[in-house]
Amino acid sequence: MDGEKMIYYVENNIDVSIILPRYHECYSVIEKTIQRIRQIQNVLKVQIIIVNDSNKNSFHDSDILKIKKQYPDILVVSNCGNYGKGYSIRRGVDLAKGKYVFYTDIDFPIREHDFFNAYQKIEKSNIDLVIGERFSKNKSKANIYRKITSKCFLKIVNLLLRCKVSDSQCPFKMMKSELAKEIFSKQKIKGYAFDAEVIYLTKRLTKTLHQLPVVWEDTRENWNLMKTLRNYGVMIFEVFSIKIYWIINDPKII
């Protein structure tokens, strides 16, 4: 209800819930990620949540069934088809029980050192959201199409949504659980532009944000020209829809 503050409860014994959206990655990729997170679990109490967003056979996927059997402590849920990365992260946040929520790609293209840096930052500072920034420490392996469209997209995000970030789309975000659950209860975008919406809503809620330069193991798919234009065209449309939605529903802050 309007004017009421939503209160969310987390389980005190879990430090971080790690959410991993999966599309078509095979068992060996997922298992390698799990083994790396096991090293983090030697230091922190971590909940692992895998959200399967496969476009077919979601409930009979042999790789997912094998993960469930081999790792019963991991929470694995499947969407009824390919609903989008934003939708999958939102579903994972609903199931998260940790003090903090962290999401990244299923191949875990990050360094454990950066994960712990983000945890220390949010644990010891007055920070609500830590986002990874890939360009300070890395040379992008993306092709020229994706480099150009990525820069144009970022300019649109910063101009239209007033985000003022240098990397809105980095799949490296850690936030307080209460903020994550509030944001994803409001968040609307199911596709790739959901990251920009998360940052936008963080700003609207007057929460603090910190950009953390991270080492990124770039495994991105190098889209061809047509796929690049199509995907970024959809993302740009989604950014405009974010702006329009909040102007209509809450014109006090645009």
Side-chain angles (χ1 to χ4, degrees):
M1 294 178 65
D2 293 341
E4 290 187 358
K5 183 178 180 180
M6 290 180 287
I7 300 175
Y8 302 99
Y9 297 93
V10 298
E11 292 191 3
N12 294 328
N13 61 332
I14 297 177
D15 296 310
V16 185
S17 295
I18 298 180
I19 302 169
L20 304 167
R22 182 259 185 175
Y23 177 44
H24 54 61
E25 293 81 6
C26 65
Y27 174 84
S28 61
V29 172
I30 303 172
E31 184 183 40
K32 184 178 179 180
T33 292
I34 292 171
Q35 294 307 317
R36 290 183 63 195
I37 296 176
R38 291 296 194 222
Q39 300 303 311
I40 295 175
Q41 287 179 317
N42 290 331
V43 181
L44 298 173
K45 294 179 181 178
V46 171
Q47 175 192 29
I48 304 174
I49 303 172
I50 295 174
V51 183
N52 179 33
D53 195 44
S54 176
N55 60 344
K56 59 182 179 180
N57 299 325
S58 294
F59 299 100
H60 304 284
D61 188 301
S62 59
D63 292 311
I64 291 298
L65 292 175
K66 191 174 180 181
I67 289 294
K68 287 183 176 181
K69 182 178 180 180
Q70 295 294 324
Y71 301 99
D73 62 304
I74 294 175
L75 180 57
V76 182
V77 295
S78 292
N79 300 331
C80 299
N82 179 218
Y83 279 41
K85 192 173 182 179
Y87 178 89
S88 298
I89 299 297
R90 186 190 314 162
R91 192 171 182 197
V93 169
D94 285 342
L95 299 168
K97 296 179 179 179
K99 182 179 179 182
Y100 303 108
V101 170
F102 176 80
Y103 65 83
T104 190
D105 291 342
I106 190 74
D107 59 344
F108 214 66
I110 66 170
R111 299 285 178 88
E112 286 84 348
H113 176 74
D114 290 329
F115 176 89
F116 285 116
N117 280 346
Y119 177 79
Q120 291 295 324
K121 188 69 179 180
I122 202 167
E123 175 76 0
K124 295 183 178 181
S125 305
N126 186 29
I127 300 295
D128 298 296
L129 168 64
V130 176
I131 67 173
E133 187 272 301
R134 294 168 288 185
F135 305 122
S136 297
K137 293 187 175 182
N138 307 273
K139 291 183 178 180
S140 175
K141 297 179 182 178
N143 59 31
I144 189 64
Y145 308 134
R146 196 158 183 180
K147 286 180 181 178
I148 293 173
T149 50
S150 177
K151 289 180 180 179
C152 291
F153 178 77
L154 180 61
K155 288 184 180 295
I156 291 172
V157 168
N158 283 331
L159 178 64
L160 200 63
L161 302 184
R162 302 176 185 176
C163 289
K164 298 180 181 179
V165 295
S166 55
D167 188 358
S168 65
Q169 301 308 112
C170 182
F172 181 112
K173 292 183 173 64
M174 184 180 293
M175 62 188 81
K176 293 178 178 178
S177 184
E178 289 187 1
L179 175 62
K181 291 182 182 294
E182 183 172 6
I183 282 178
F184 281 92
S185 72
K186 302 175 184 294
Q187 182 262 341
K188 304 297 179 184
I189 299 300
K190 295 181 180 180
Y192 290 122
F194 86 96
D195 276 304
E197 187 178 19
V198 167
I199 297 171
Y200 179 61
L201 290 173
T202 299
K203 296 286 189 178
R204 288 177 63 89
L205 293 169
T206 64
K207 300 299 183 178
T208 54
L209 179 153
H210 175 75
Q211 296 185 81
L212 178 72
V214 297
V215 176
W216 192 256
E217 305 292 342
D218 197 342
T219 59
R220 75 181 71 189
E221 175 189 357
N222 262 327
W223 301 333
N224 60 33
L225 177 60
M226 291 307 297
K227 189 171 184 179
T228 300
L229 293 176
R230 180 174 66 250
N231 286 353
Y232 274 97
V234 171
M235 290 167 65
I236 291 170
F237 173 80
E238 290 176 341
V239 171
F240 276 93
S241 71
I242 293 168
K243 185 71 171 183
I244 293 170
Y245 176 86
W246 287 105
I247 288 175
I248 292 173
N249 287 276
D250 188 358
K252 293 180 291 184
I253 307 176
I254 61 174

